[in-house]
Amino acid sequence: MEAASIEALLERAEKGNLRALGRLLTLIEHPTPHAIQILERLAKRAGRAQVIGFTGIPGAGKSTLASRVIGALRRRGYRVAVVAIDPSSPFSGGSIMGDRLRMQEHASDPGVFIRSIPTRGVKGGLSTAALAMIEVFDAMGYDKIIVETVGVGQSEVDIINAAHTIIVVTMPGAGDDVQALKAGVMEIGDIYVVNKSDKAEANKTAAYLQFALEREDIGRRESGWKPRLVKTSAVLGMGIDSLVDVIEEHWNFLRESGWSGRKVEARRILMAKMMAESMLSAKVMEAHMESLGYLEEVARTGEGIFRAAEELARRAARKMLE
Amino acid sequence: MSSLQSTEAVGGAVRRFKVLVAKMGLDGHDRGAKVVARALRDAGFEVIYTGLRQTPEQVALAAVQEDVDVIGVSILNGAHIHLMKRLMTKLKDLGADDIPVVLGGTIPVPDLEPLYRLGIREIFLPGTSLAEIIEKVRKLAEEKRSREEAVTGVGGC
Ligand code: B12
Ligand SMILES: Nc1nc2c(ncn2[C@@H]2O[C@H](COP(=O)(O)OP(=O)(O)O)[C@@H](O)[C@H]2O)c(=O)[nH]1
Ligand SMILES: [Mg+2]
């Protein structure tokens, strides 16, 4: 794309044109030179929004809950953007992205912008796209950016670490036992939600979680924040205002303690690292395609295959320098 | 292009075609929409399904926010002319009338002509094979991407 047309697109997006913003998000999804031009332009203005991550097992009610939270945030006057990360089919690489379905009631609200990303195969690709989108929404003046992840796998953990406020969503039954919560999850949450509290066993699950959070080693975050527990029912709309109150409380805490800025820095460092990884892996891919004949030959006997790996890396590095 | 119908490689990654599958109005027949959504996914498309009872405005805005390559609407309750008129108008208002729109469902033959005149690119009647649907949707998506390429020098990028 011509530099001039990118400028025009940026200008229109900045004036609130939704079509232009949608196009920009497509352009920054992959780390091309255009993406870098756009992100350089925008990143300077970002750094004001609260990034709120929702994570937890599939089916816990993250999307339904996020939709309720969007409604409550809108009533409090905030503009809200959503980055919804949905799993792709491992077979065709295609996907049916279902998060939007649960939030679609907000589609015609001009103060809400929802964008879905599938978890594609490419290493780091998912995270890079999500992080870049956060940066764009932030620069475009959205006050709250909700990121929903499927809560499995390393790249999701990375994304969630880029959020200011991490909400771990669980439900009765699934996490009766805190052990049943994925390892590591008890250490990362700023807010734990027992959703589906309209169900019988909710109090039991909440009691287990509360008990765990009282332990000194997992009951305090680096920032000094003590994780909180909230019970909700996303279908009945119960507990939503209490949850949003705690989200706000956490945000005030981060701002007053200076941690909000540090988290933005951490997010940008992570983005830089992931973009670098994507760029290099693209060059490895190119080198691989060019060397197919040679690789096949080496693979036949197995001799020299590890030296071939080194050679690929060297070729990729040369391409990067070109 | 392979049966994995994706598109140009960007930075080593593949930019797949993105399709919005939508239901509007009070029409509760969602079987066709879901069958088509699954078939497109299995053919490698990224599919976003809006769910039932959407307004044309909601569908148009979802298409804009997601920046899809094709919009596919399913209507089986007879309200197609009214709903599609509103959808096409809204897309135009949003500056998104470059996104091709296709329609499927129980559409009486005399209504086909007026619908095509509204700018709908393809209409799939009951019994259309999924292979035909996938092929035609892919073709529209490819055309849209190459138009973007012609305008901007890079395929949508
Ligand atoms: C199954 C069915 C139902 C089921 C629906 C189940 C469900 N969840 O979908 C039930 C029993 C609930 C039902 C209810 C009703 N139905 Co009914 N139903 C049918 C029936 C028999 C088949 C529809 C179907 O599922 N076909 C299978 C799918 C795979 O085919 P399809 O949707 O046509 O999709 C194909 C193409 O059209 C196209 N396509 C469709 N959508 C899309 C989208 C995209 C993006 C693309 C690319 C392609 C595409 O591709 C598909 C593959 O070829 C039709 C009759 C018929 N011949 O179509 C009546 C029919 C649609 N129903 C009808 C009626 C009147 C009703 C009721 C009002 C009946 C009543 N009086 O209560 C209610 C209304 C329900 C509501 N809330 O809207 C009428 C509609 C008449 C009209 N157009 O005005 C029909 C045509 C029957 C008739 N001849 O009178 N119905
Ligand atoms: N009973 C009950 N069901 C809920 C609640 N929240 C969500 N659900 C249902 O749980 C299912 C999964 O919800 P979804 O939001 O898609 O979960 P996600 O996979 O975590 O995003 C859906 O059928 C929802 O209707 C709740 O508070 N109570
Ligand atoms: Mg979800």
Side-chain angles (χ1 to χ4, degrees):
Chain A
M1 186 181 280
E2 302 298 322
S5 42
I6 288 190
E7 274 307 310
L9 204 58
L10 276 164
E11 254 166 52
R12 281 196 294 137
E14 278 159 3
K15 285 194 187 119
N17 183 303
L18 298 176
R19 176 75 175 135
L21 178 51
R23 295 292 301 140
L24 271 186
L25 293 171
T26 303
L27 296 179
I28 53 102
E29 245 185 299
H30 298 286
T32 58
H34 310 294
I36 289 166
Q37 185 196 340
I38 292 166
L39 289 166
E40 274 304 327
R41 234 316 275 279
L42 291 179
K44 287 184 281 241
R45 305 175 32 205
R48 279 176 302 197
Q50 179 184 16
V51 181
I52 306 166
F54 283 74
T55 188
I57 54 167
K62 296 179 294 296
S63 303
T64 317
L65 186 62
S67 185
R68 292 286 190 176
V69 167
I70 295 168
L73 289 170
R74 290 292 294 142
R75 283 191 293 280
R76 295 182 190 203
Y78 297 114
R79 290 175 69 215
V80 184
V82 180
V83 180
I85 300 157
D86 245 319
S88 306
S89 155
F91 303 109
S92 67
S95 50
I96 297 183
M97 297 182 272
D99 292 336
R100 167 176 277 279
L101 180 68
R102 312 230 180 259
M103 308 180 200
Q104 180 60 11
E105 61 179 290
H106 301 291
S108 49
D109 178 347
V112 178
F113 198 110
I114 302 168
R115 181 71 172 226
S116 316
I117 335 185
T119 57
R120 311 185 180 82
V122 184
K123 186 172 171 286
L126 154 73
S127 307
T128 316
L131 291 172
M133 281 184 188
I134 291 173
E135 213 64 29
V136 172
F137 282 132
D138 191 344
M140 290 295 165
Y142 285 89
D143 305 297
K144 307 285 176 184
I145 301 169
I146 290 176
V147 182
E148 177 180 341
T149 79
V150 279
V152 282
Q154 187 54 45
S155 49
E156 284 76 15
V157 172
D158 284 340
I159 289 181
I160 216 71
N161 284 335
H164 288 103
T165 303
I166 300 175
I167 302 179
V168 177
V169 184
T170 175
M171 61 178 176
D176 248 12
D177 204 308
V178 176
Q179 308 269 304
L181 280 175
K182 235 183 109 237
V185 157
M186 284 312 295
E187 285 81 24
I188 63 164
D190 298 304
I191 304 172
Y192 290 83
V193 172
V194 178
N195 188 37
K196 307 200 185 184
S197 286
D198 47 285
K199 291 196 172 175
E201 289 162 60
N203 283 332
K204 207 169 124 197
T205 307
Y208 271 117
L209 272 168
Q210 191 61 57
F211 179 72
L213 289 176
E214 273 156 23
R215 272 175 43 182
E216 196 45 44
D217 56 337
I218 53 179
R220 190 181 287 277
R221 297 294 165 256
E222 205 186 346
S223 60
W225 171 260
K226 286 189 165 177
R228 301 275 287 276
L229 183 74
V230 183
K231 285 196 292 177
T232 62
S233 168
V235 281
L236 300 181
M238 275 163 39
I240 307 303
D241 271 308
S242 316
L243 173 57
V244 175
D245 285 344
V246 180
I247 293 173
E248 290 280 73
E249 205 184 304
H250 186 238
W251 182 229
N252 289 333
F253 171 86
L254 291 178
R255 279 200 299 190
E256 279 159 22
S257 61
W259 272 86
S260 57
R262 281 204 238 172
K263 291 218 175 195
V264 172
E265 286 161 26
R267 175 179 99 207
R268 288 176 170 163
I269 291 170
L270 186 63
M271 183 163 66
K273 172 185 156 255
M274 295 203 155
M275 280 207 159
E277 270 175 11
S278 312
M279 289 172 196
L280 278 176
S281 92
K283 298 298 174 194
V284 171
M285 185 86 89
E286 275 177 39
H288 165 250
M289 294 313 284
E290 288 169 12
S291 323
L292 271 184
Y294 158 65
L295 283 171
E296 273 165 19
E297 210 166 287
V298 176
R300 219 167 288 136
T301 60
E303 218 185 301
I305 189 75
F306 299 103
R307 271 191 293 281
E310 263 187 315
E311 181 51 33
L312 274 190
R314 237 179 257 118
R315 264 176 182 252
R318 270 199 300 274
K319 283 176 180 297
M320 199 71 225
L321 293 174
E322 266 162 24
Chain B
M1 195 143 291
S2 81
S3 70
L4 272 191
Q5 57 338 112
S6 354
T7 164
E8 79 272 25
V10 182
V14 150
R15 212 185 125 201
R16 289 174 182 281
F17 292 136
K18 220 169 161 183
V19 180
L20 184 73
V21 174
K23 290 287 306 179
M24 295 188 285
L26 297 175
D27 177 13
H29 296 89
D30 59 0
R31 202 193 283 166
K34 285 179 170 169
V35 166
V36 169
R38 271 193 294 270
L40 290 169
R41 175 202 57 195
D42 293 343
F45 288 80
E46 289 175 1
V47 181
I48 296 148
Y49 176 49
T50 61
L52 290 169
R53 282 177 275 282
Q54 300 293 304
T55 63
E57 291 71 25
Q58 283 174 312
V59 171
L61 278 154
V64 161
Q65 291 173 13
E66 300 287 356
D67 191 22
V68 295
D69 298 302
V70 178
I71 302 172
V73 183
S74 174
I75 304 181
L76 285 86
N77 72 345
H80 40 270
I81 301 261
H82 169 68
L83 289 170
M84 294 311 282
K85 245 187 207 152
R86 272 175 59 192
L87 176 64
M88 302 309 273
T89 305
K90 187 69 194 177
L91 285 171
K92 197 159 193 179
D93 291 348
L94 288 167
D97 46 349
D98 57 315
I99 305 176
V101 178
V102 303
L103 172 66
T106 50
I107 314 295
V109 172
D111 288 349
L112 295 179
E113 199 39 49
L115 286 166
Y116 283 126
R117 259 188 276 122
L118 283 178
I120 291 152
R121 301 292 299 276
E122 297 281 353
I123 301 173
F124 303 103
L125 298 181
T128 314
S129 78
L130 294 172
E132 181 183 337
I133 290 173
I134 290 165
E135 214 30 65
K136 288 192 167 153
V137 170
R138 176 183 307 153
K139 199 159 157 277
L140 287 172
E142 274 168 6
E143 276 170 26
K144 174 167 177 288
R145 291 262 175 111
S146 47
R147 268 200 312 278
E148 286 168 4
E149 214 166 322
V151 174
T152 61
V154 183
C157 276

